[in-house]
Amino acid sequence: MAIAIVDISQSAAAGLQPPPHDRAFEDDKRNHGRGIYRLLTGVDPDDAAFDDDASFDRHVIASVLAVSAMEHGALAERAGLSTVELIALLAQLFPAASIDSSWLPVNGVSAAPDDDEIAMLRDLLAAQRSTDGDVSRWLAAMVARRAMEPNHLWEDLGLRERSELSRLLLRHFAPLASRNTRNMRWKRFFYRMLCEDDGFVMCTTPVCTQCNDFQLCFGEESGESRMAERRREVALQEAAGAAM
């Protein structure tokens, strides 16, 4: 596998702005996360099937990398990993993929995010792992970082629906995930667990059904996946261009 490391030391002070010759890649990042998923897995995300746990893990991590690469900033940071961890992940899980900096720039030697909130959630997940090895350790960091994004967690992980997130958490973090007996939204559930571990009371009422914020914790989490949304945007743009 060929991974080219991009040295961004010159642009770091400029807010990680890409050099001019990467502008086409920036367009690809915004519009073709699906292409990155295909590059890693060999299939379109809509056609992905996972008959075993290993293929499901690869689907999840490819989805996180694809959706992270659709955003501005260093890929490793957006995914919650250090550059060294990202390189190791690619080599271990996607050895057959032809990867270089034009598709998945790893941007020098960036460290993993050290934000306190990210670290607290990462540590909570890591302490509740139900599988051994690198994959669950990487996923603890990736889930914690992506939980800082504003959408439903399954969307910000690039997954196709909430059930995939539930499967991920029950597989790799079963002691924690199994405590979500009332199907609370996962982000709210994580913060509730963090608060309880620190001895704080998060909720204003003792019974959820009596709480004015009930919909924030238990409301609908359906919607269009991030990559499906991008595909629709590209299709609309192409249709508009053809009509001109």
Side-chain angles (χ1 to χ4, degrees), residues 11-234:
S11 60
L16 297 177
Q17 292 300 314
H21 66 271
D22 280 346
R23 189 163 302 279
F25 173 63
E26 288 299 310
D27 291 339
D28 283 343
K29 276 204 307 188
R30 287 190 293 270
N31 298 318
H32 298 294
R34 301 174 73 88
I36 292 176
Y37 183 97
R38 287 193 298 270
L39 176 74
L40 293 171
T41 66
V43 299
D44 189 86
D46 286 344
D47 299 326
F50 359 94
D51 298 328
D52 55 63
D53 289 335
S55 60
F56 176 71
D57 291 345
R58 293 177 74 251
H59 161 69
V60 169
I61 290 180
S63 298
V64 176
L65 294 179
V67 77
S68 298
M70 289 160 54
E71 301 169 352
H72 291 289
L75 174 62
E77 187 282 324
R78 302 300 299 184
L81 303 173
S82 68
T83 295
V84 172
E85 289 172 322
L86 177 57
I87 293 172
L89 179 155
L90 293 170
Q92 180 173 320
L93 297 182
F94 308 103
S98 178
I99 298 169
D100 60 35
S101 62
S102 66
W103 275 99
L104 291 175
V106 292
N107 289 336
V109 290
S110 62
D114 58 0
D115 177 271
D116 287 346
E117 197 170 350
I118 297 173
M120 289 173 62
L121 181 51
R122 182 187 65 231
D123 292 347
L124 173 67
L125 290 165
Q128 298 286 322
R129 289 193 297 167
S130 49
T131 57
D132 296 323
D134 292 330
V135 172
S136 59
R137 178 174 57 83
W138 291 328
L139 282 170
M142 297 171 94
V143 170
R145 170 61 184 86
R146 299 306 298 172
M148 301 302 109
E149 298 302 313
N151 306 296
H152 296 315
L153 182 53
W154 68 267
E155 293 176 313
D156 284 323
L157 290 169
L159 301 177
R160 299 180 298 187
E161 56 189 12
R162 187 180 190 267
S163 63
E164 291 186 346
L165 172 57
S166 298
R167 176 177 173 179
L168 155 67
L169 296 174
L170 287 167
R171 165 163 159 68
H172 288 289
F173 311 102
L176 179 65
S178 62
R179 295 167 65 183
N180 189 6
T181 57
R182 300 193 60 186
N183 203 30
M184 179 180 283
R185 291 185 180 186
W186 286 111
K187 282 187 184 180
R188 301 288 291 185
F189 174 75
F190 290 156
Y191 285 111
R192 185 169 188 168
M193 294 299 100
L194 287 171
C195 288
E196 288 183 1
D197 285 349
D198 284 342
F200 296 111
V201 177
M202 175 180 171
C203 302
T204 57
T205 57
V207 180
C208 288
T209 54
Q210 298 175 4
C211 180
N212 292 331
D213 290 331
F214 182 86
Q215 290 302 318
L216 292 176
C217 293
F218 296 95
E220 180 65 35
E221 280 195 276
S222 62
E224 186 176 40
S225 70
R226 294 279 300 277
M227 283 188 278
E229 179 185 64
R230 293 299 184 187
R231 182 179 63 172
R232 179 172 52 81
E233 289 176 357
V234 171

